[in-house]
Amino acid sequence: MFKKKTSFEKIDSYLSKKGYDLIMSLFLENYNNYYLYIRFDYVKTIQAYKITWIDMDFINYKHPENYINTQIMTRNMGIKLDRLLGSIDTENTYLEDDNILGDRVEIVFNNKFGYKEYTFSRFLPNELKSLFDPIIIVFTYLPRSMEVILEEMLAKYSGGEEYYNHLKPIKFNLKKDKIDDIFRKDVIERGKKYYEEGHVTFLEKIDNKYVALVSGDKPYLVIIEEIDEDFTLIRCTCPCEYYCKHEYATLLAIKEKKFNNFYKVRFIGKEETLLERIRNGAYSICCGVENDSLLIITNDNEIVKMPIILNGKKCFEVIEDDDDKSLSEYLKKF
Ligand SMILES: [Zn+2]
């Protein structure tokens, strides 16, 4: 991580020597893992407005010119943004939410009403609605790949908050907190039923993550990662855009300590490019078989079918089996 204050000072003084006159800056601190410093300047030397952005994780202060990206604005748009900002008299506002890990936004500008500072977490709050249009204008001058950040930042206005929140770590202590608090009522009912009907077929703690396979219409992987004492990342491979029944059932299984380890297999065949990506470790996690294939869980949490026999040779050996040795028995047939 960079030293925030000195990093900004270096960039600011470099740009000010080049004739940049700061009107507004926007700092995204650990927003989707980005540390982005974005500025709106009037550049006297060329008499034009510019948008500048710098990835603060990726800058060498000996040669800042190689890392500072700028875009000249059309004259009309520059004037429009300058006027918009000049009319904002919202008081300094600090709305950081300690239920959110990272995703901090800091906006600073100076206009006829004085020096203004606004901070918030993840979503632009209603109190700062006057910044809605300026932010959109700034982002139209940034690379397309940053549009996802803009969409997320403005999710309060599009109704997408729940969707974005469920993709991020949540303030939740796996040992102490009640799981019902983070799920919709109807999901709790369905999740309990799923757990009771035995849909959580595998559950294992692997490194710092709980990994579960929850079977349903399709098998889905649930991964629960304790980020620190306060925050937990809960993910499922199903298409739900909120905390789902698979995750609820898994959390219940963790609470009840209903562990059931995955199979572990080792690839012993000849190297094949197709297989490269699943062989990044000494062993692969396997959640069962389907006809003449093993169901292997990749590092990207996908379940892929891998043939048991390749070029006439058996290419997996079992490292960890269940008590009945059912996987080893199954492989003997080949
Ligand atoms: Zn799910």
Side-chain angles (χ1 to χ4, degrees):
M1 256 260 276
F2 61 95
K3 288 198 184 68
K4 197 173 155 186
K5 195 157 180 278
T6 48
S7 307
F8 285 121
E9 278 169 4
K10 281 178 192 161
I11 293 167
D12 290 344
S13 86
Y14 173 84
L15 290 175
S16 124
K17 275 181 210 147
K18 298 249 167 207
Y20 284 61
D21 197 0
L22 182 71
I23 302 170
M24 173 209 195
S25 77
L26 204 148
F27 177 50
L28 304 178
E29 186 175 4
N30 194 11
Y31 204 110
N32 291 356
N33 301 320
Y34 273 113
Y35 289 81
L36 275 183
Y37 182 38
I38 303 159
R39 295 173 45 126
F40 169 55
D41 291 272
Y42 185 72
V43 188
K44 283 165 281 188
T45 45
I46 56 167
Q47 296 190 328
Y49 291 96
K50 266 190 172 188
I51 296 290
T52 301
W53 70 98
I54 300 126
D55 185 336
M56 302 294 275
D57 260 346
F58 190 67
I59 179 166
N60 177 341
Y61 295 102
K62 278 187 187 142
H63 300 282
E65 69 281 2
N66 294 336
Y67 300 86
I68 294 176
N69 312 282
T70 66
Q71 187 81 29
I72 296 183
M73 298 178 87
T74 59
R75 191 168 167 74
N76 283 345
M77 199 53 99
I79 291 170
K80 187 180 170 187
L81 180 56
D82 197 4
R83 282 202 186 129
L84 260 176
L85 293 170
S87 67
I88 294 172
D89 63 348
T90 311
E91 285 305 310
N92 288 348
T93 309
Y94 306 98
L95 289 168
E96 275 150 273
D97 182 348
D98 63 8
N99 287 311
I100 288 177
L101 185 67
D103 290 353
R104 183 176 174 276
V105 181
E106 182 181 300
I107 295 174
V108 167
F109 58 80
N110 211 348
N111 64 14
K112 63 175 184 283
F113 302 106
Y115 174 85
K116 299 286 184 184
E117 222 175 64
Y118 310 107
T119 58
F120 58 90
S121 301
R122 194 167 295 159
F123 306 120
L124 180 72
N126 287 317
E127 292 88 334
L128 296 176
K129 210 177 171 178
S130 54
L131 294 168
F132 187 95
D133 288 335
I135 289 173
I136 287 180
I137 295 175
V138 167
F139 269 80
T140 57
Y141 287 88
L142 297 177
R144 269 244 166 127
S145 57
M146 291 181 196
E147 268 174 29
V148 284
I149 295 180
L150 176 69
E151 276 169 29
E152 182 168 342
M153 207 189 293
L154 302 181
K156 255 190 203 303
Y157 303 89
S158 62
E161 280 169 275
E162 188 181 14
Y163 169 72
Y164 288 108
N165 284 335
H166 103 289
L167 298 173
K168 301 284 178 83
I170 185 172
K171 198 161 197 184
F172 178 74
N173 181 308
L174 212 49
K175 285 165 199 84
K176 293 185 218 151
D177 292 339
K178 287 205 187 91
I179 59 179
D180 283 13
D181 294 348
I182 52 180
F183 289 85
R184 294 180 179 182
K185 259 205 180 118
D186 58 317
V187 172
I188 294 175
E189 291 311 312
R190 284 185 281 148
K192 270 188 190 148
K193 203 162 166 253
Y194 247 53
Y195 170 70
E196 282 155 14
E197 290 173 354
H199 285 278
V200 183
T201 46
F202 291 96
L203 172 64
E204 183 175 355
K205 192 164 189 189
I206 300 173
D207 301 327
N208 61 335
K209 293 170 194 161
Y210 293 92
V211 182
L213 187 87
V214 185
S215 60
D217 49 333
K218 271 169 73 181
Y220 294 112
L221 272 182
V222 173
I223 293 137
I224 293 172
E225 186 178 350
E226 293 177 281
I227 304 290
D228 59 28
E229 223 177 87
D230 296 323
F231 285 91
T232 305
L233 183 59
I234 302 169
R235 286 177 295 160
C236 178
T237 53
C238 84
C240 281
E241 299 193 341
Y242 49 83
Y243 288 113
C244 65
K245 60 185 176 189
H246 313 107
E247 294 165 337
Y248 190 91
T250 301
L251 285 167
L252 267 186
I254 293 171
K255 272 218 150 61
E256 302 290 328
K257 299 196 166 57
K258 289 284 169 23
F259 292 98
N260 179 30
N261 283 6
F262 285 90
Y263 301 112
K264 311 291 183 315
V265 294
R266 193 195 330 251
F267 182 77
I268 51 171
K270 223 179 140 197
E271 282 198 20
E272 296 282 331
T273 38
L274 175 71
L275 301 165
E276 302 271 294
R277 64 191 183 123
I278 65 155
R279 299 192 303 99
N280 284 340
Y283 63 86
S284 302
I285 299 166
C286 169
C287 59
V289 293
E290 199 178 301
N291 303 322
D292 52 4
S293 297
L294 289 183
L295 301 172
I296 301 283
I297 296 169
T298 67
N299 293 336
D300 304 324
N301 301 320
E302 274 179 76
I303 301 169
V304 296
K305 283 186 209 169
M306 301 302 305
I308 294 168
I309 303 287
L310 212 65
N311 302 325
K313 275 190 174 172
K314 199 182 287 185
C315 51
F316 285 99
E317 66 176 0
V318 181
I319 296 176
E320 188 178 338
D321 208 338
D322 55 24
D323 294 343
D324 301 333
K325 304 262 176 249
S326 45
L327 185 62
S328 308
E329 287 301 321
Y330 190 87
L331 291 189
K332 273 184 194 167
K333 290 188 225 161
F334 290 85

